[in-house]
């Protein structure tokens, strides 16, 4: 009996199908590879029953039924194609085209449009319409990211439902009624939140388009590469679509385990900086206070010489390295390898407010988050910090999990009494707070912990050993100096040469860091733009961005994710990996072979760190520097490039007083 | 069969809006008896035995509808549908304005019958006067202890909330109504789930028409069998018919179901002298026309269905030989296209398309094939829509287009003179 309750067997187009009870016909048909066209249905949004294109014929039912809202039942005999279905479907398509502008030749969606595809597959090929079509607004500026063509809209309300169900924003609504209905924001204010770009992918037609991509290309002219977004620690899987070397758009990948098929606007739209004219494309050396362009050979010689001299004259304590959170695992591993090879333990990935990126023994997986009964957030809002993780949390809340943001750890623990499993999501900034939550939840049976770092590969950097107190794989080592201590040492004249790869400590504690950097003998900075830190360097090395290189990253839940280069980097730039190889030659340090490096990365990434929890003292590297008087909110606003910080390039950093 | 007076008893004679007047005539005695002496199951049984069917349009047996409520869920709602916007229907707002206490007592009995403690009445936005009258009556009843907690010391609590709509026909459709009541866009919900399982605020909900609920008062007073003894085999009791169009005395007439179509026309004063009957639309704008040959049919749910139409909400529109059926069809389709919520494809696009063609015909700019095209589109979309509004586009249009094809052909410029005369 239990078995009967779990599965049902039906026939779809003559093929017997057994599916779990409750499966919608539209999903059941997929198991026998029968296409049922849909506009309003979407697996993540559920049925809406609006478009009526998914009609099927079920024996014994007089009327055609919609496959998107009909659960499979035992003994059901379903036809996805017969004369009756075809006539109904053809009528729906004919009707959808009655007031459709058919401006395919200038529509961004042309070539990947469900209306084109289904009209070709199921349409009549002609229409009896002789009267004029309705006219509606075109090119409506919905907000900073999206332009809407009302005439192309098929009113599937996927965008409206995304805003409601998935993003919990409820900005988009269907206004007016009948054939006059239009998509708009409920208040008339600009459509603006962290996830707007997703509606352009959900829109089955060319009604919702991205400002950044409008009229730029045809889908068949794009070269598609799957890669990982590195703009925060979630590590969303995405496609990079490139034409003639220009990154035109990014699109989400149906990857339920990591990103659930979504991208945030930061990850999606922050690609405008790659071909910015302000990029550094040649090594720069400070001579008499001003930068002069030099060649790579000279750059390596100068870097090597500075390090060798400092090592000889002052010993390994006089040199250090910062970086890793914005590098690949391979680069982070080599950076720590080189630094440790010359005898220094002064290394750290941390450049900003974050103190810890690896949760330790109780570190949770995304699957664990999906099971949590209570989710406790600690610190900065996750909507900004780890946007797509926030969507996953909202999803958990929809299935009944409690979302808790309490004033104190004790209060949070009280609210979680009796609930299991529990997820703690900390921003990794204040160790005392992290430790307090760890303590407050020590008595709970099932607790999974998460740290939402602001840097994409923060956890990877830690796993690769870019921490003063931990070697690769979190091996305990005799501690060196971390970023804060190094900056202090620099001010005190103890540290002489600092190599900063893909990090911008001067952005966070401008005065203190500037003073420290100025006191150094030799500062090397690898960067794409002239950041606050690069501006104080002795030697600036032009680096490559994440779409321009291959490698791996480790996201906040410890998933090892691939980075595949999709862009040709500007001539004159090098990936940090190549810079480190060049430096190794200068220092006569032997590097692991490519195969050994890959093996090491995989092995260290897979290590489950034990022996520490949230806010562990071994991550401590000195008192917190006063944070800048604002937090960066990274809602994409389509305005030009903000130039210097790739993290924020093309984003407006809203300065919100704290 | 003559006009009867059950719900309409006293209307136009005394001021039933006055609580004292209503009570003096036996008002609220059934309510008192129900909470003091009867179990909810007794009220449900009365509704079932009486054979009462929904007077809002679909004619669904009221007792059966109530019995669909899950027994294990204790929060449940009753919603009285007073959105009355079906073309030709004007009975509910008469009851609301003339007999608000009867409407309220019906709601209270319905609420008790399904054992719910919070009932709503959704009143069409345009019925401002009716709304005010009803709210006044509700306040009076509250003051008198008829509504609120522990009514008549029975321990039964009941709250009633009156809500005004914002002017959309689609909010009369029960799930559109529930959305609107919840403050959402007035668009019908996808079914299943049906309101009995998941209705207002996700709780099991019964939606009943004003007239349906009002009949509970006489049913309890005179007995379910009294009601069931009137009418035809499966259409029991009385019905208020809103007669309009080409009759001499249009108005609301309460009749026993089964009264013939011809009798109803006569009750409403008959046709104007010298005029010939062309068609009757017997069940509101959503129904197909019936014709001369149907005049002696009993006016009940089954006979109207058998004649290819429906009894619907009891809006009875008479068309004589002065009617321009192209204009009438245009008017009807234009109404549905205008009131379509626009969420589903067939209704939104199909309704508008047919409206556009009919507008052109009205202007005398028809082209060969318009009629076939309209029949094809209207016919195909029927049954494909999300709610019944979309299925309302075809019936009237098809019935008159098939019956009076020449009237439509006459709007094609080249063919105009000859066929216009022929009809
Ligand atoms: C477009 C549309 C409009 C409707 N308008 C009304 C209305 O104004 N009043 C009403 O009682 N029922 C209306 N109905 C019927 C309701 O959906 C529902 O069936 C009825 O309120 C149930 O009450 P009853 O069972 O007492 O008839 C409408 C249905 C549709 C499809
Ligand atoms: S804009 Fe696109 S997604 Fe939104 S309702 Fe229209 S067609 Fe659907
Ligand atoms: S959530 Fe993070 S990883 Fe995902 S798209 Fe946004 S920035 Fe990229
Ligand atoms: S049939 Fe018409 S009124 Fe009903 S849901 Fe569809 S569009 Fe709205
Ligand atoms: S996909 Fe089923 S109605 Fe739209």
């Amino acid at each position: 009996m239990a078995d009967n309750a779990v599965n049902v067997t039906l026939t779809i187009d003559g093929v017997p199908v057994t599916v779990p009870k409750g499966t919608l016909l539209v999903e059941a048909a997929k198991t026998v590879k029968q296409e049922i066209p849909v506009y309003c249905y979407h697996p993540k949004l559920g049925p809406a029953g609006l478009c009526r294109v998914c009609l099927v014929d079920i024996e014994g039912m007089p009327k055609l039924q919609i496959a998107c809202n009909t659960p499979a039942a035992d003994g059901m005999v379903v036809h996805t194609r017969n004369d009756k279905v075809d006539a109904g479907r053809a009528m729906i398509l004919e009707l959808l085209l009655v007031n459709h502008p058919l401006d395919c030749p200038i529509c961004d969606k042309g070539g990947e449009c469900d209306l084109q595809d289904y009209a070709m597959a199921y349409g009549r090929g002609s229409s009896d319409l002789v009267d004029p079509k309705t006219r509606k607004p075109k090119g409506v500026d919905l907000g900073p990211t999206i332009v809407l063509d009302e005439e192309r809209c098929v009113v599937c309300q996927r965008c409206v439902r995304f805003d409601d169900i998935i993003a919990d924003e409820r900005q988009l609504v269907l206004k007016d009624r009948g054939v006059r209905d239009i998509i708009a924001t409920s208040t008339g204010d600009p459509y603006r939140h962290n996830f707007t770009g997703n509606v352009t992918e959900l829109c089955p037609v060319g009604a919702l388009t991205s400002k950044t991509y409008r009229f730029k290309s045809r889908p068949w002219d794009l070269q598609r590469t799957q890669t990982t977004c590195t703009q925060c620690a979630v590590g969303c899987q995405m496609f990079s679509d490139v034409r003639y070397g220009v990154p035109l758009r990014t699109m989400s990948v149906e990857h339920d385990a990591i990103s659930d098929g979504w991208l945030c606007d930061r990850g999606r739209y922050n690609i405008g900086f790659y071909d910015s004219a302000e990029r550094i494309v040649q090594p720069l050396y400070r001579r008499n206070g001003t930068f002069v362009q030099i060649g790579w050979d000279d750059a390596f010689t100068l870097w090597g010489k500075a390090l060798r001299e400092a090592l000889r004259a002052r010993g390994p304590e006089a040199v250090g390295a910062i970086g890793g959170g914005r590098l690949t695992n391979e680069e982070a591993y080599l950076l720590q390898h080189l630094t440790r090879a010359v005898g220094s333990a002064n290394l750290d990935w941390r450049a900003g407010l974050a103190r810890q990126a690896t949760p330790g023994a109780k570190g949770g997986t995304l699957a664990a988050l999906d099971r949590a009964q209570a989710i406790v957030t600690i610190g900065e809002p996750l909507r900004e910090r780890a946007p797509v993780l926030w969507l996953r949390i909202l999803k958990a809340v929809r299935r009944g999990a409690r979302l808790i943001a309490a004033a104190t750890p004790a209060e949070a623990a009280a609210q979680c009494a009796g609930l299991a499993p529990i997820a703690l999501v900390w921003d990794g900034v204040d160790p005392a707070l992290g430790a307090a939550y760890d303590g407050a939840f020590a008595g709970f049976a099932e607790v999974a912990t998460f740290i939402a770092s602001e840097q994409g590969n923060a956890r990877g950097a830690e796993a690769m050993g870019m921490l003063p107190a931990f070697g690769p794989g979190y091996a305990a080592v005799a501690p060196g100096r971390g970023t804060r201590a190094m900056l202090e040492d620099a001010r005190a004249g103890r540290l002489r040469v600092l190599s900063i790869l893909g990090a911008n400590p001067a952005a966070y504690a401008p005065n203190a860091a500037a003073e420290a950097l100025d006191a150094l003998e030799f500062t090397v900075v690898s960067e794409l733009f002239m950041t606050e830190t690069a501006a104080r360097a002795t030697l600036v090395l032009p680096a490559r961005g994440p779409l321009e290189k291959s490698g791996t990253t480790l996201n906040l839940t410890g998933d090892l994710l691939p980075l595949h280069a999709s862009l040709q980097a500007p001539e004159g730039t090098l990936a940090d990996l190549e810079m480190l190889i060049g430096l190794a030659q200068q220092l006569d340090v032997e590097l692991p072979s490519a195969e050994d490096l890959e093996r090491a990365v995989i092995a260290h990434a897979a290590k489950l760190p034990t022996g520490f929890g949230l806010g562990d003292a071994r991550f401590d590297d000195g008192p917190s520097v006063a944070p800048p008087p604002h937090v960066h909110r990274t809602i994409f606003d389509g305005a030009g490039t903000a130039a210097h910080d790739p993290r924020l390039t093309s984003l407006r950093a809203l300065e919100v007083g704290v | 069969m003559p006009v009867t007076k059950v719900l309409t008893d006293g209307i136009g004679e005394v001021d039933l809006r006055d609580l004292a007047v209503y009570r003096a005539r036996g008002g609220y005695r059934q309510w008192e008896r129900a909470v003091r002496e009867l179990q909810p199951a007794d009220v449900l049984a009365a509704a079932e035995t009486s054979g009462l069917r929904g007077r809002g349009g679909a004619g669904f047996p009221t007792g059966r509808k109530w019995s669909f409520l899950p027994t294990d869920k204790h929060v449940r709602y009753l919603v009285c549908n007073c959105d009355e916007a079906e073309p030709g229907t004007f009975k509910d707002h008469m009851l609301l304005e003339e007999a608000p206490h009867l409407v309220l007592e019906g709601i209270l009995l319905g609420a008790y019958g399904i054992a719910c403690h919070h009932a709503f009445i959704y009143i069409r936005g345009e019925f401002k006067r009716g709304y005010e009258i009803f709210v006044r009556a509700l306040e009076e009843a509250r003051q008198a202890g008829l509504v609120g907690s522990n009514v008549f010391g029975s321990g039964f609590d009941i709250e009633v909330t009156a809500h005004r709509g914002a002017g959309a026909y689609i909010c009369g459709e029960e799930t559109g109504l529930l959305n609107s009541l919840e403050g959402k866009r007035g668009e019908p919900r996808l079914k299943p789930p049906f309101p009995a399982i998941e209705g207002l605020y996700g709780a099991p909900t019964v939606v009943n028409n004003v007239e349906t609920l009002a009949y509970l008062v006489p049913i309890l007073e005179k007995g379910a069998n009294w009601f069931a003894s009137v009418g035809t085999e499966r259409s029991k009791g009385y019905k208020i018919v809103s007669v309009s169009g080409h009759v001499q005395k249009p108005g609301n007439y309460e009749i026993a179901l089964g009264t013939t179509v011809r009798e109803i026309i006569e009750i409403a004063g008959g046709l104007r002298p010298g005029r010939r009957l062309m068609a009757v639309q017997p069940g509101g704008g959503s129904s197909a026309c019936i014709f001369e040959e149907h005049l002696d049919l009993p006016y009940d749910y089954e006979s109207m269905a058998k004649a290819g139409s429906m009894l619907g909400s009891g809006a009875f529109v008479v068309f004589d030989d002065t009617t321009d059926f192209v204009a009438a069809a245009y008017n009807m389709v234009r109404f549905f296209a205008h009131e379509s919520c626009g969420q589903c494809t067939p209704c939104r696009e199909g309704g508008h398309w047919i409206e556009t063609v009919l507008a052109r015909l009205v202007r005398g700019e028809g082209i060969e094939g318009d009629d076939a095209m309209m029949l094809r589109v209207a016919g195909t979309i029927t049954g494909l829509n999300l709610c019944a509004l979309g299925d309302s586009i075809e019936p009237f249009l098809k019935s008159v287009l098939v019956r009076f094809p020449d009237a439509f052909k006459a709007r094609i410029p080249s063919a105009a003179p000859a066929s216009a005369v022929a009809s």
Side-chain angles (χ1 to χ4, degrees), chain A residues 47-52 55 63-64 66 68-69 71 87-89 91-92 94-96 98-99 124 127-134 136 153-155 157 174-181, chain B residues 167-170 185 187 190-193 337-350 352-353 356-357 360 363 367 370 373 376-378 380-387 391:
Chain A
L50 306 177
C51 70
R52 321 301 285 185
L55 299 166
K63 291 202 276 186
L64 292 172
I66 49 172
C68 69
N69 196 42
R89 228 178 245 174
M91 173 55 73
I92 297 298
E94 183 178 1
L95 290 172
L96 283 174
V98 161
N99 288 311
R124 274 177 86 203
S127 168
D128 287 348
L129 181 78
V130 293
D131 296 281
K133 289 170 186 271
T134 56
K136 282 186 178 179
C153 172
V154 296
V155 206
Q157 296 206 53
L174 183 61
K175 273 197 175 169
D176 215 317
R177 66 184 191 214
V179 80
R180 304 172 304 284
D181 54 13
Chain B
Y169 167 62
I170 195 57
R185 183 172 196 265
E187 58 190 12
L190 186 57
K191 285 158 273 194
H338 184 261
E339 295 298 331
S340 161
C341 81
Q343 65 171 337
C344 76
T345 310
C347 168
R348 177 186 67 242
E349 303 293 342
H352 173 75
W353 187 7
T356 310
V357 173
R360 186 159 47 67
R363 292 197 306 270
I367 53 175
D370 277 345
M373 191 286 287
R376 178 176 73 86
V377 174
T380 318
I381 64 173
T382 298
L384 301 188
N385 297 286
L386 192 155
C387 86
D391 291 352

Side-chain angles (χ1 to χ4, degrees), chain A residues 23-101:
Chain A
T23 305
L24 297 168
L25 288 182
V26 66
E27 293 294 338
K30 288 180 189 167
T31 64
V32 286
K33 304 251 176 335
Q34 282 303 337
E35 179 190 66
I36 296 181
V38 294
Y39 289 116
C40 63
Y41 175 77
H42 187 282
K44 300 254 155 65
L45 302 172
L50 306 177
C51 70
R52 321 301 285 185
V53 80
C54 64
L55 299 166
V56 293
D57 190 11
I58 301 173
E59 284 184 14
M61 298 209 187
K63 291 202 276 186
L64 292 172
Q65 302 293 313
I66 49 172
C68 69
N69 196 42
T70 309
D74 251 329
M76 210 178 228
V77 180
V78 181
H79 302 280
T80 72
R81 294 300 296 264
N82 62 23
D83 288 351
K84 197 170 155 194
V85 171
D86 288 355
R89 228 178 245 174
M91 173 55 73
I92 297 298
L93 286 160
E94 183 178 1
L95 290 172
L96 283 174
L97 292 176
V98 161
N99 288 311
H100 192 85

